[in-house]
Amino acid sequence: MTEVGYASDKPSDCAYCYFFSAGRKKCKRKECFYRISSPPLRRKVTHWEPCEGCPYGKHTPCLGYCIVKAMKEVKEHRDTG
């Protein structure tokens, strides 16, 4: 459960807020601008074993093909050639 609070510069009454519509007598926003909540917990991204150390494996979604395998094959080809 996230903890909800409000910024220190929040007006004492919504009528004094920039986003309050006097004509409609309600806020223009769906959620209060001054509302502060703790950020949602990010789940830890785990990588497949061959992707450990791969700079492209850090991002989600993955590129769709294994850069590590391709780089190993290129390195082996250079070493034998």
Side-chain angles (χ1 to χ4, degrees):
M1 195 168 182
T2 59
E3 195 172 310
V4 178
Y6 291 93
S8 61
D9 59 342
K10 180 184 181 289
S12 59
D13 189 3
C14 289
Y16 300 116
C17 179
Y18 174 78
F19 298 103
F20 187 77
S21 176
R24 295 189 307 172
K25 295 187 179 178
K26 67 178 191 175
C27 189
K28 296 176 188 177
R29 298 175 56 97
K30 290 182 181 179
E31 188 175 307
C32 182
F33 176 78
Y34 296 97
R35 184 176 177 178
I36 299 173
S37 60
S38 59
L41 298 174
R42 297 185 78 195
R43 60 186 174 107
K44 185 177 178 182
V45 177
T46 57
H47 302 290
W48 296 339
E49 280 185 34
C51 294
E52 289 297 324
C54 176
Y56 299 102
K58 294 178 188 175
H59 308 288
T60 304
C62 188
L63 293 174
Y65 57 92
C66 187
I67 299 292
V68 174
K69 183 178 176 183
M71 293 303 289
K72 284 181 184 177
E73 290 175 0
V74 168
K75 186 176 181 181
E76 288 173 6
H77 181 68
R78 286 184 186 164
D79 292 341
T80 59

